[in-house]
Amino acid sequence: MAVAKTPNNVVTFKGIGVSPGIVIGKAFLLDRWKIRTEKINLTNEQIKKEINRFQKAILLSKQQLAAVKERLLKEVEDKTYGSIIDVHLMILSDDALVKAAEEMIQQEKVNAEWALDQVLKKFTAIFDAIGDAYLKERKTDIEHVAERVKRNLVGEEAKGIAEITKDVVVVAHDLTPVDTIHMQKSKVKGFATDLGGRTSHTAILARSLEIPAVVALGNICSSVQPGDAIIIDGIEGTVIVNPSKEIFTQYLEKQRQYVYYEKELLKLKDLAAETLDGYRIELAANIEFPEEVPSVIEHGAEAVGLYRTEFLYLDRISLPTEEEQFQAYKKLTLQLAPRCAVIRTLDIGGDKINPELPREIEPNPVLGLRAIRYSLKREDILREQLRAILRASAYGPLRMMLPLISGIAELRTVKAIIAQEQENLRRSNIAFDERMEIGVMIEVPSAAMLTDLLAKECDFFSIGTNDLIQYSIAIDRGNRQVAYLYEPLHPAVLRTIKMVVSAAHNEGIWVGMCGEMAGDPLCTPILLGLEIDELSMNAVSIPTIKRIVRNISRKEAADITYRALSLPTAKEVETYVVSEMAQRFPDIF
Ligand code: PEP
Ligand code: MG
């Protein structure tokens, strides 16, 4: 949402700051989605050029699909992918879509994206009216093909993130986690998007990669021109386009102060996360890539509390082999020792998909074939990953964690498979840690309700608040429209955490938290008061959380928690905790 516009074109936008830091740079507009709906009327002279552009995009799409198919056939056993690509290639060679769009460009004198959209709409209406399941799937195929062509049409003007070679700030309608992975290797210094939420994986990755970012800005994409000067303030969630000289100077100073503050905090690196009255808690880091380990250590993490292994799979076309995974996990273990790492099995699905791979479209991916459900469907992939983790456990302290467990039966099934793989390794005389702990993520409400039983059958819990909040309050964690309902201090969330912690402690197992709530300074006193044993967060948040832990007593935290739990709404809890914390930490709250 643009909140202010001044005569010299300075525009200030307010969104959600999802990755702290300040960056000042030039805008790079990644507007592949925006172009989708824009209609441009062409002059007679422009038509030929437009058809040419369209044909080039079709050709490029065909070449890309052929290349993907070739690689898939070589690298992936499941041949169904190959046949989906054949269908896509057929659609591109069929007159129905391509010729119809060309005719529309010619006759109605409109741009290719618009023409393609109109033709697509006609097809969709026909398919919808038929209502046959098989044909519905073909509709999805046509949509996918059209999307690829549009991407390639835009691609003529806008390069992909992976190819950015100059320092820029990316402005986009939306970004996928895979786009964010590419940023790591490119020169992207910050980003701002129309859509998104605090706990979307794109936001989480931005924090891990320490790229300042603001999301949920509404319409920044259509208000920025390529090359505009732009300031991203990931602390306040503000974006300023074409800043005046005064604003520019002001932000340079703010940037300097932020860097200084961060440096000062790092001095706490080797001190324990211990309250004023000597109560200790473990502060750990979440990682998506093993390359983050130096930053994890530098920020004073005592362990890796969550390694999201799916990022090994996301930006590549074939799955990593057991050996590749083993090498990655082993390297992580050796680099991190004597600290422990919790390796989570694959949590693919939901918003974590590989856009290059053809897939069955799910109407509700977040409630669909995700995480452990995917692993149990593709037991071959699960078994390879289990063997890789088990083998790596011979090289240092490792734990294994299972995502999206929804009940006891699921846990037992996975544990039986783990036991079989352990037995296979024993028989082959391959070393692994016989006592490696196996933990369960508590992120589905049904699992939270069953923690008294689950605690008897696993070694630890880690509360995944990103999903637990999403599924408990029924809000899509990546949807900016309902972002205001995403409240970690919601009384239902606090009660659930309390229940999970006491179920774990009753059975004598430890319980951690690895959702973003763990790194939110406002939640720290309550999480201390609820007696969570470990908090795992993005590495950059650790020093701030440590500072809070070291400057509050366990008694104070317990008193704050007791009162907070008696309040009926998230707003009241928040107002109360802010008032308590502002007295103690006026510079943070
Ligand atoms: C969570 O859901 O809180 C979690 C840590 O897992 P992810 O964010 O990867 O879904
Ligand atoms: Mg989760």
Side-chain angles (χ1 to χ4, degrees):
M1 181 178 55
V3 290
K5 188 164 183 156
T6 62
N8 45 351
N9 278 339
V10 182
V11 194
T12 306
F13 291 84
K14 195 88 191 97
I16 306 173
V18 295
S19 181
I22 290 165
V23 62
I24 303 173
K26 288 231 175 303
F28 177 95
L29 203 59
L30 193 80
D31 59 354
R32 58 177 178 234
W33 308 117
K34 190 193 85 184
I35 277 187
R36 179 178 291 189
T37 48
E38 247 175 39
K39 180 180 181 183
I40 302 170
N41 292 312
L42 306 176
T43 59
N44 285 338
E45 296 70 54
Q46 287 171 321
I47 292 176
K48 197 161 171 243
K49 209 169 144 210
E50 189 66 1
I51 290 185
N52 212 342
R53 189 169 81 93
F54 182 59
Q55 285 170 344
K56 264 197 191 148
I58 298 284
L59 185 67
L60 185 58
S61 304
K62 284 184 185 169
Q63 288 166 344
Q64 287 166 345
L65 282 169
V68 172
K69 186 179 168 188
E70 200 185 306
R71 278 160 68 194
L72 276 173
L73 289 179
K74 257 194 241 145
E75 298 173 12
V76 182
E77 270 174 35
D78 188 347
K79 301 289 179 241
T80 46
Y81 284 152
S83 55
I84 298 176
I85 291 182
D86 284 336
V87 173
H88 287 199
L89 279 165
M90 251 162 56
I91 295 169
L92 281 174
S93 309
D94 189 77
D95 280 358
L97 184 76
V98 177
K99 273 278 166 299
E102 270 181 31
E103 272 167 29
M104 186 168 244
I105 300 171
Q106 183 101 44
Q107 285 159 15
E108 301 199 12
K109 302 183 189 170
V110 287
N111 55 319
E113 294 85 346
W114 175 263
L116 195 57
D117 254 357
Q118 300 313 303
V119 174
L120 193 64
K121 271 188 198 145
K122 277 190 205 152
F123 271 108
T124 330
I126 297 169
F127 280 119
D128 283 345
I130 300 170
D132 173 279
Y134 174 79
L135 287 175
K136 277 223 180 327
E137 238 169 71
R138 297 293 72 78
K139 174 185 130 183
T140 313
D141 286 327
I142 295 178
E143 283 168 347
H144 269 178
V145 169
E147 197 169 301
R148 181 179 288 278
V149 176
K150 267 186 251 165
R151 267 206 314 251
N152 286 328
L153 279 166
V154 179
E156 286 186 4
E157 286 111 38
K159 278 189 270 173
I161 287 181
E163 294 133 61
I164 295 174
T165 51
K166 272 195 255 154
D167 285 0
V168 291
V169 170
V170 165
V171 177
H173 185 55
D174 196 12
L175 292 169
T176 63
V178 174
D179 288 327
T180 321
I181 297 177
H182 289 150
M183 286 184 189
Q184 188 191 21
K185 296 158 201 155
S186 71
K187 296 240 169 191
V188 176
K189 296 295 169 211
F191 69 78
T193 59
D194 290 342
L195 305 185
R198 214 190 130 66
T199 57
S200 65
H201 287 97
T202 299
I204 290 173
L205 273 172
R207 285 194 283 282
S208 282
L209 301 172
E210 300 179 41
I211 300 174
V214 181
V215 304
L217 288 152
N219 61 345
I220 189 159
C221 205
S222 48
S223 316
V224 169
Q225 297 300 319
D228 274 352
I230 188 165
I231 298 175
I232 306 272
D233 178 349
I235 310 160
E236 300 285 338
T238 308
V239 176
I240 302 169
V241 183
N242 292 320
S244 62
K245 207 167 157 208
E246 292 74 44
I247 296 175
F248 182 79
T249 320
Q250 193 187 319
Y251 271 89
L252 267 184
E253 176 55 21
K254 195 170 175 188
Q255 189 181 42
R256 198 191 58 74
Q257 279 174 11
Y258 177 74
V259 173
Y260 174 76
Y261 174 74
E262 287 285 283
K263 248 204 193 134
E264 281 300 295
L265 272 182
L266 282 181
K267 292 186 180 156
L268 298 176
K269 175 175 166 285
D270 298 319
L271 300 177
E274 187 175 281
T275 60
L276 292 170
D277 45 359
Y279 172 65
R280 276 200 72 154
I281 182 167
E282 183 172 90
L283 296 186
N286 294 347
I287 61 166
E288 285 74 40
F289 311 100
E291 293 78 24
E292 289 173 71
V293 171
S295 160
V296 163
I297 295 172
E298 186 197 323
H299 286 91
E302 294 165 82
V304 163
L306 165 65
Y307 170 28
R308 291 183 165 98
T309 56
E310 52 277 9
F311 286 92
L312 265 183
Y313 295 67
L314 276 189
D315 67 337
R316 47 187 289 162
I317 201 104
S318 63
L319 300 176
T321 60
E322 176 186 328
E323 192 56 29
E324 262 179 276
Q325 294 182 68
F326 164 64
Q327 292 300 343
Y329 305 153
K330 178 178 158 190
K331 191 169 157 207
L332 168 72
T333 312
L334 292 174
Q335 274 187 323
L336 207 62
R339 301 168 192 82
C340 181
V342 176
I343 302 193
R344 180 175 74 179
T345 62
L346 196 59
D347 181 1
I348 216 151
D351 64 343
K352 285 178 281 196
I353 46 153
N354 183 337
E356 279 304 315
L357 284 179
R359 62 193 181 279
E360 203 175 302
I361 298 291
E362 297 180 274
N364 282 309
V366 170
L367 300 178
L369 193 63
R370 188 191 153 183
I372 205 68
R373 303 164 184 188
Y374 179 88
S375 296
L376 287 173
K377 180 146 192 212
R378 290 296 308 267
E379 219 180 284
D380 54 331
I381 296 176
L382 172 65
R383 284 181 186 273
E384 283 195 358
Q385 182 170 33
L386 293 178
R387 283 195 297 273
I389 299 173
L390 286 166
R391 285 169 58 199
S393 72
Y395 294 84
L398 278 190
R399 297 183 173 119
M400 188 191 305
M401 182 155 77
L402 310 172
L404 219 77
I405 291 287
S406 61
I408 302 285
E410 225 164 18
L411 173 61
R412 288 187 183 156
T413 309
V414 186
K415 278 181 69 180
I417 298 172
I418 296 172
Q420 284 167 10
E421 288 307 328
Q422 287 174 324
E423 186 50 29
N424 290 342
L425 291 179
R426 263 181 228 117
R427 283 213 196 111
S428 314
N429 277 328
I430 297 176
F432 68 95
D433 177 4
E434 291 274 359
R435 287 179 321 213
M436 180 173 57
E437 291 185 1
I438 297 170
V440 166
M441 281 199 74
I442 303 297
E443 52 182 349
V444 179
S446 59
M449 299 296 294
L450 293 174
T451 36
D452 56 332
L453 301 177
L454 287 165
K456 294 186 202 305
E457 305 198 19
C458 69
D459 301 309
F460 67 94
F461 288 151
S462 187
I463 307 176
T465 49
N466 305 340
D467 280 315
L468 186 62
I469 296 172
Q470 156 164 276
Y471 296 128
S472 304
I473 316 184
I475 8 144
D476 177 349
R477 60 195 262 193
N479 184 340
R480 77 182 185 97
Q481 308 273 12
V482 287
Y484 72 101
L485 285 172
Y486 200 94
E487 296 170 314
L489 294 176
H490 192 295
V493 175
L494 299 184
R495 287 182 189 196
T496 310
I497 297 171
K498 185 170 186 283
M499 184 176 81
V500 175
V501 175
S502 56
H505 288 172
N506 280 344
E507 285 302 327
I509 65 169
W510 65 272
V511 50
M513 175 178 284
C514 59
E516 295 304 295
M517 185 176 180
D520 181 346
L522 195 58
C523 301
T524 311
I526 295 187
L527 299 179
L528 276 172
L530 289 173
E531 303 193 348
I532 294 205
D533 303 295
E534 173 241 39
L535 295 175
S536 191
M537 63 202 79
N538 58 83
V540 285
S541 298
I542 292 177
T544 306
I545 302 298
K546 190 185 276 186
R547 191 182 140 210
I548 294 174
V549 173
R550 291 183 57 82
N551 287 286
I552 197 165
S553 71
R554 182 184 193 176
K555 165 90 175 63
E556 282 174 295
D559 289 346
I560 294 175
T561 307
Y562 183 76
R563 171 107 177 90
L565 283 170
S566 73
L567 296 169
T569 66
K571 263 284 145 295
E572 283 163 90
V573 177
E574 191 183 320
T575 310
Y576 165 64
V577 183
V578 169
S579 72
E580 286 290 335
M581 296 299 276
Q583 295 167 28
R584 296 167 175 87
F585 305 95
D587 60 321
I588 305 182
F589 298 96

